[in-house]
Amino acid sequence: MDYHEFFTQHWATLQQASLYTPRPNPTFGNPPFDAAPFRALIVRLSPFRDVERSTPHLFLFQAARRALPAAYVDMAFFPPQRDREAFLRAGIPLWVGTQSWRGAADFDVVLVSNAYTLELINLPYLLLHSGIPVWASARGADFPPILLGGSNALATQAILTPAGDCMADALFFGEGEREVETLLRLLAENAHLPKRARLLSAAAQTTGLWVAHGCNGQQSVESVQSVESVSKAVCAAPQSDDLLTVYPLLNGEEAGTARLQLNFGCPAFCSFCFEGYDRKPYREVAQADVLAAAQQLKRGGAAAVDLYSFNFNTQAEILPLLLALNRRFDRVSFKSQRVDVLASAPGMLEAEVMADKRSFTLGIEGISRRMRAFLHKSLPDAAIHGVLARLLRQKIREIKLFYILTGHETEADLAEFRDFARDLRDMQQRANRGLRVIFSFGLLVRMPFTPLRYDRLFLEEADWRPVIGPAKSACETNGFEFRLAAPWDEYAASQVLALGGYWLHAPVLALAEQGHCYDLSLTPGYWDALRGWLAENGHWDAAFLGEKGPDYAFPLAFVQQRIAPDYFYKKYRQAMAGEDEGYCLGEVGQAGGSSHCLGCDACATPKERAAILTHTLKLPGGTYLRDLEAVMTAKWRLKPVYVRLWLPPDVAGAEPAWLNAWIMQQLLQMFPAWEDNLLSVQESLFTTKDALRRYAGLYGETVFALKAWEGGERGRGGEGEYGSRGVWECG
Amino acid sequence: MGVGGCGSVGEGVRFLGWMEGFEPGVFGQMTLRLTLPAAHFPEAGAQLRKFLQEAYVPVNLRRVGAGYVFDIPEKARKKKVLLAGEVTQDETTFTARLVVGPKFDLMGYLRSFPGPERWREARAEVSELQI
């Protein structure tokens, strides 16, 4: 169904209006919709503003574009409140492609990315309000296959029935690198087959795809427990091609910032961490491959890269990479890192500060040694104190300390935390009074496929007050900011959705039918209604709320992964006993000792295992810090050269970040020789801070600043035909 | 060959020249060829006159042929908002050719209509840019 009439009339008044410009967005590289041999709709379950910095929709685009270069690839995001209201008033489905303005039924496949638990409740809401039957068993050939994957895939039991029906036609488990591309190719090749046969054929030839029983109207009486198992996909030995480099520029503030992945998975064994267990084993991308991908990102228009990794500082070549990337990009940012690595790697902290890092986020997690052992954080006191003492001497803006409250904290744990906060205050007052220190707390969600899935649940708000109150008081008494990550209803609903059984599908659908969804916050009443349903239906009981035994029937057990269920239980018992046996990463996993394999069986080959066990951080030494300082200092001092350009009408209305990235892309496509020299491109006449609020919809003449290593105001050289000489020659 | 020699630098982008001594955000005057959908920007010419008058730029519209021309007294011209202008409108589209100075607030004008969020529908070609 074509919704051009509505969008032509109303797009400018919508909350997500920026997504509809430029129109058509040239960076999608789409053919005319009707001429495309295959059409894929990529769906995010959150609004664009919430996922702009994330990559799954871009990753799926890359897979689709590589598999089917002539395909029409479109994206749809969860409409924010005002847009939902406008769509529903006008009878427009909530799933409409931002590029094609077509409904889901006009596509050959719908790829849904589910990033986190609460977001999943938007799937039935979207289906209900898009004229699409909720269950695979009720969707005939008129509807394209709906495939759902993403980092929350292993916690999607709320969209399955015990009989194996599913709100998606198929679920994808694991890492989609390589597999999604193959899947899409197979779906296109087998377009002549009925939907279920097409999916089963694709599932048989790939790894990670589970096909719903009811798909294409087939009824089944089998139980999910009796389903043939599906193996989780793992991207072995990731290389440059596995990294995200091919994607459209979406019209938002992040258009010029690329995410550059350094490694896959995490080497640590934090007992609470969903991703840490889901994405094992830890695998690094070689420096040459990272740099090759970085070069492609720059050609795509990126002036800035954000290093993407669960822990960027476990990367063996992180220090050489920081230097190399800072030579190539205007800005290089990096956030999440392990404190013990920062403590033990000589020069790393100083290098990070030198590379312009002014805000440090440190995951401490447990408020005491005992709690850190329970969480298996493998983080000794000495490392925390050592890093904080060194950071306080640096010229930085803020430190964010992340903690998890478990519900198991005792007065002794709280006393230890009070002492820590007091000591930190004393250190700060001696060293760096102006520094902002933020303590950010989250409540522990026991996630599936982690050791703590066996732990008892704390779903009474009152149980948390004796822990949250004193923790807040300890922070604020010592002059630190205290933050609690999520409100109570979101925490409680997340916990139930993450660890509940297949029975969840009933309340989740019923609540979606009542109009509940998640958009910045849960709609009021969601948690009360969910809790009420659990109580009425016999699930608010000791079996679900209490500690679970090794034989507990967790959902999605048909997903086969290398880490055996027994291992999770063994690690749970260790957590309860306060045993933290470190992790397996080379020289840093074992404080003071040699590394050893913890026997999780996630490594597929001896080579994979050896790469982790013999892992060694490359500490460049020599002139490294001086070289990095020289690069950063030179970059700060660069003066741009200004160029007058004429822009076509197609780009009128684009956000400044989009325009800058697109012009950089155009320049580097035309003049590849500039690649090493050019750092950034910035429109400098109508999008400056003062000017931006006075102009709209401009195209034609304007002025751009080109920031480059050579060829700035002083070094541009002599005059040529159009005043262009020196380093700006394009050969 | 340099950028200028190539002329085009991509999908419709044209190189016009290097700038010396440029200060970001600063220009003298430019010509805007403004296009608005008439349905969402009703009486756009009269609305521009009203918008300018409310900003203490006393201009008037005078009919010339099928369109209108702005009469801009010297006192108004000195405000560096509107230096010259003519507008036309048919059933679907309002078009204006405006020579404006750095004080011209296009966004303010677009937001002065009954549907202020419609500003995204405006298209304005910049030409004869004088820095």
Side-chain angles (χ1 to χ4, degrees):
Chain A
M1 191 79 171
D2 188 339
Y3 298 100
H4 272 74
E5 193 180 333
F6 170 84
F7 281 95
T8 303
Q9 196 60 221
H10 298 289
W11 73 269
T13 65
L14 297 172
Q15 231 175 316
Q16 292 194 141
S18 63
L19 276 174
Y20 307 111
T21 44
R23 180 158 187 85
N25 184 330
T27 61
F28 273 74
N30 278 330
F33 192 84
D34 292 327
F38 191 86
R39 303 170 190 95
L41 178 64
I42 295 162
V43 171
R44 294 300 307 257
L45 298 176
S46 290
F48 178 62
R49 78 165 175 246
D50 298 340
V51 296
E52 191 182 352
R53 291 178 181 211
S54 74
T55 56
H57 49 291
L58 305 179
F59 163 79
L60 289 170
F61 178 93
Q62 172 169 280
R65 184 55 77 224
R66 281 181 176 167
L68 305 159
Y72 192 101
V73 188
D74 204 347
M75 292 182 189
F77 298 85
F78 187 70
Q81 186 174 356
R82 211 176 71 205
D83 294 1
R84 290 198 300 278
E85 290 166 1
F87 288 11
L88 296 176
R89 264 198 316 271
I92 303 296
L94 299 188
W95 267 358
V96 175
T98 55
Q99 303 303 302
S100 64
W101 290 344
R102 304 280 189 133
D106 287 352
F107 289 83
D108 296 298
V109 68
V110 177
L111 304 168
V112 183
S113 168
N114 175 210
Y116 60 97
T117 313
L118 275 184
E119 187 194 54
L120 187 61
I121 70 169
N122 290 344
L123 179 65
Y125 179 90
L126 284 165
L127 292 167
L128 286 166
H129 293 295
S130 298
I132 302 172
V134 170
W135 296 106
S137 60
R139 287 195 290 265
D142 292 348
F143 296 96
I146 298 171
L147 278 57
L148 183 142
S151 52
N152 191 54
L154 279 177
T156 51
Q157 64 271 20
I159 61 166
L160 273 83
T161 69
D165 203 351
C166 182
M167 295 184 196
D169 294 291
L171 298 174
F172 182 84
F173 297 99
E175 294 166 342
E177 286 81 2
R178 302 170 193 171
E179 299 297 340
V180 175
E181 208 175 315
T182 311
L183 260 173
L184 290 171
R185 201 173 290 124
L186 289 167
L187 289 176
E189 284 170 10
N190 294 325
H192 58 286
L193 295 176
K195 185 161 52 176
R196 183 170 166 79
R198 210 180 323 156
L199 287 169
L200 287 172
S201 168
Q205 296 175 71
T206 54
T207 304
L209 192 70
W210 175 86
V211 181
H213 279 200
C215 172
N216 218 25
Q218 291 193 357
Q219 299 298 324
S220 171
V221 291
E222 291 175 272
S223 71
V224 171
Q225 279 79 1
S226 70
V227 175
E228 277 187 20
S229 64
V230 59
S231 294
K232 200 173 74 176
V234 178
C235 178
Q239 298 164 356
S240 183
D241 277 353
D242 297 313
L243 304 183
L244 176 64
T245 55
V246 178
Y247 57 86
L249 298 174
L250 299 179
N251 191 27
E253 291 175 2
E254 293 292 312
T257 303
R259 273 77 207 173
L260 177 60
Q261 190 166 358
L262 302 179
N263 45 42
F264 287 62
C266 176
F269 283 79
C270 300
S271 56
F272 60 89
C273 186
F274 188 43
E275 293 87 353
Y277 274 93
D278 183 23
R279 294 302 164 93
K280 287 202 179 316
Y282 176 65
R283 291 141 289 158
E284 292 189 349
V285 184
Q287 182 178 0
D289 282 348
V290 172
L291 292 177
Q295 212 64 7
Q296 280 183 269
L297 291 171
K298 189 166 177 180
R299 278 176 220 140
V305 284
D306 187 9
L307 303 186
Y308 174 74
S309 165
F310 291 140
N311 299 294
F312 74 84
N313 68 348
T314 53
Q315 180 81 3
E317 293 162 316
I318 184 62
L319 291 179
L321 273 170
L322 275 186
L323 180 59
L325 291 170
N326 266 299
R327 282 183 173 136
R328 286 167 171 78
F329 291 92
D330 190 36
R331 295 182 308 284
V332 180
S333 59
F334 35 92
K335 287 191 185 75
S336 182
Q337 59 182 323
R338 280 199 64 90
V339 179
D340 57 334
V341 177
L342 194 57
S344 63
M348 183 173 284
L349 189 151
E350 290 72 20
E352 290 180 20
V353 175
M354 207 165 274
D356 222 8
K357 189 167 177 59
R358 295 290 176 266
S359 174
F360 279 73
T361 302
L362 307 177
I364 311 292
E365 318 303 8
I367 65 166
S368 65
R369 282 182 293 279
R370 191 179 77 91
M371 283 296 101
R372 281 198 298 282
F374 172 67
L375 297 171
H376 206 283
K377 185 62 188 170
S378 310
L379 180 58
D381 277 354
I384 301 168
H385 284 105
V387 165
L388 287 173
R390 285 164 62 200
L391 278 176
L392 288 171
R393 291 195 294 271
Q394 299 288 338
K395 285 183 182 169
I396 59 171
R397 196 178 70 249
E398 67 178 11
I399 298 174
K400 289 183 196 158
L401 301 174
F402 275 66
Y403 285 88
I404 293 174
L405 293 174
T406 68
H408 290 303
E409 286 78 6
T410 63
E411 181 48 42
D413 298 312
L414 290 164
E416 189 178 322
F417 180 66
R418 278 187 213 103
D419 290 346
F420 169 79
R422 188 200 57 224
D423 292 348
L424 181 58
R425 180 201 60 195
D426 292 346
M427 277 202 297
Q428 190 195 2
Q429 287 186 343
R430 285 195 300 273
N432 195 342
R433 279 173 179 269
L435 183 73
R436 186 179 183 195
V437 180
I438 301 161
F439 282 71
S440 182
F441 284 81
L443 307 185
L444 174 66
V445 176
R446 279 77 175 163
M447 290 300 288
F449 297 95
T450 68
L452 293 189
R453 68 179 180 173
Y454 298 99
D455 193 21
R456 61 158 290 198
L457 308 183
F458 291 82
L459 287 173
E460 296 292 352
E461 192 173 8
D463 289 345
W464 291 93
R465 288 195 192 113
V467 183
I468 297 172
K472 182 172 190 279
S473 170
C475 297
E476 293 178 346
T477 302
N478 290 291
F480 302 124
E481 288 178 52
F482 171 91
R483 289 181 188 170
L484 192 60
W488 171 251
D489 63 335
E490 290 179 20
Y491 166 74
S494 293
Q495 178 60 87
V496 170
L497 291 168
L499 219 55
Y502 297 118
W503 41 260
L504 277 168
H505 76 272
V508 163
L509 178 55
L511 287 165
E513 286 169 340
Q514 290 168 28
H516 285 286
C517 62
Y518 181 76
D519 178 10
L520 293 175
S521 61
L522 265 178
T523 40
Y526 192 94
W527 167 237
D528 289 341
L530 182 59
R531 178 179 172 146
W533 187 94
L534 262 70
E536 284 166 23
N537 290 274
H539 295 292
W540 193 264
D541 58 4
F544 177 57
L545 300 172
E547 187 179 29
K548 296 156 187 70
D551 300 324
Y552 186 86
F554 289 101
L556 301 181
F558 61 85
V559 183
Q560 298 295 303
Q561 48 181 339
R562 294 177 192 154
I563 302 175
D566 294 354
Y567 190 80
F568 292 119
Y569 193 69
K570 179 187 141 192
K571 296 300 288 181
Y572 169 65
R573 297 308 310 167
Q574 282 182 346
M576 293 306 282
E579 292 171 21
D580 185 338
E581 55 179 346
Y583 56 106
C584 49
L585 189 72
E587 79 283 35
V588 286
Q590 296 293 309
S594 60
S595 65
H596 71 281
C597 173
L598 270 63
C600 73
D601 288 335
C603 293
T605 64
K607 190 180 171 190
E608 219 167 47
R609 186 175 297 120
I612 302 173
L613 291 173
T614 61
H615 179 278
T616 309
L617 280 169
K618 290 209 171 106
L619 302 169
T623 61
Y624 173 79
L625 283 177
R626 278 204 301 278
D627 294 345
L628 183 60
E629 185 178 22
V631 166
M632 299 308 296
T633 307
K635 200 154 57 173
W636 295 328
R637 289 177 181 164
L638 288 175
K639 296 221 184 313
V641 60
Y642 294 96
V643 61
R644 190 190 293 225
L645 297 177
W646 189 90
L647 306 180
D650 298 351
V651 302
E655 296 287 326
W658 189 95
L659 197 56
N660 295 336
W662 186 73
I663 288 292
M664 181 135 157
Q665 185 184 82
Q666 300 301 307
L667 288 172
L668 292 182
Q669 274 174 18
M670 188 61 79
F671 310 116
W674 292 8
E675 220 168 87
D676 290 336
N677 188 35
L678 187 62
L679 287 170
S680 72
V681 170
Q682 187 169 10
E683 200 286 332
S684 296
L685 196 52
F686 302 117
T687 61
T688 60
K689 194 178 169 190
D690 287 339
L692 191 56
R693 58 192 164 82
R694 283 190 289 128
Y695 299 105
L698 300 188
Y699 66 99
E701 286 184 45
T702 187
V703 178
F704 278 81
L706 309 186
K707 187 173 169 187
W709 288 114
E710 293 177 49
E713 274 194 341
R714 291 180 184 177
R716 190 155 55 80
E719 299 295 307
E721 185 183 0
Y722 290 85
S724 157
R725 293 276 301 270
V727 297
W728 297 110
E729 297 272 348
C730 56
Chain B
M1 188 167 62
V3 173
C6 297
S8 166
V9 289
E11 294 173 39
V13 182
R14 290 205 312 267
F15 174 86
L16 302 176
W18 297 102
M19 306 285 293
E20 297 292 345
F22 173 74
E23 191 179 330
V26 177
F27 69 96
Q29 69 175 60
M30 64 178 169
T31 300
L32 282 180
R33 285 183 173 78
L34 179 64
T35 310
L36 302 173
H40 297 148
F41 294 88
E43 304 293 334
Q47 179 61 22
L48 180 55
R49 182 186 58 185
K50 182 169 174 252
F51 173 77
L52 291 168
Q53 287 178 343
E54 284 174 0
Y56 306 105
V57 183
V59 297
N60 267 310
L61 277 173
R62 175 168 44 90
R63 187 170 190 96
V64 176
Y68 293 86
V69 171
F70 275 101
D71 282 334
I72 307 165
E74 190 54 32
K75 187 180 161 194
R77 203 180 299 270
K78 282 181 181 168
K79 291 184 182 270
K80 297 182 180 176
V81 177
L82 184 65
L83 306 173
E86 60 225 26
V87 303
T88 57
Q89 181 160 346
D90 60 24
E91 280 183 6
T92 61
T93 310
F94 166 82
T95 52
R97 182 187 162 277
L98 308 170
V99 180
V100 301
K103 301 276 179 67
F104 182 68
D105 183 0
L106 175 61
M107 183 70 96
Y109 165 57
L110 297 172
R111 284 181 177 276
S112 72
F113 286 87
E117 70 279 15
R118 296 274 179 191
W119 61 267
R120 290 178 182 277
E121 294 178 23
R123 292 292 174 265
E125 182 188 357
V126 178
S127 62
E128 298 159 289
L129 179 62
Q130 294 176 22
I131 300 298

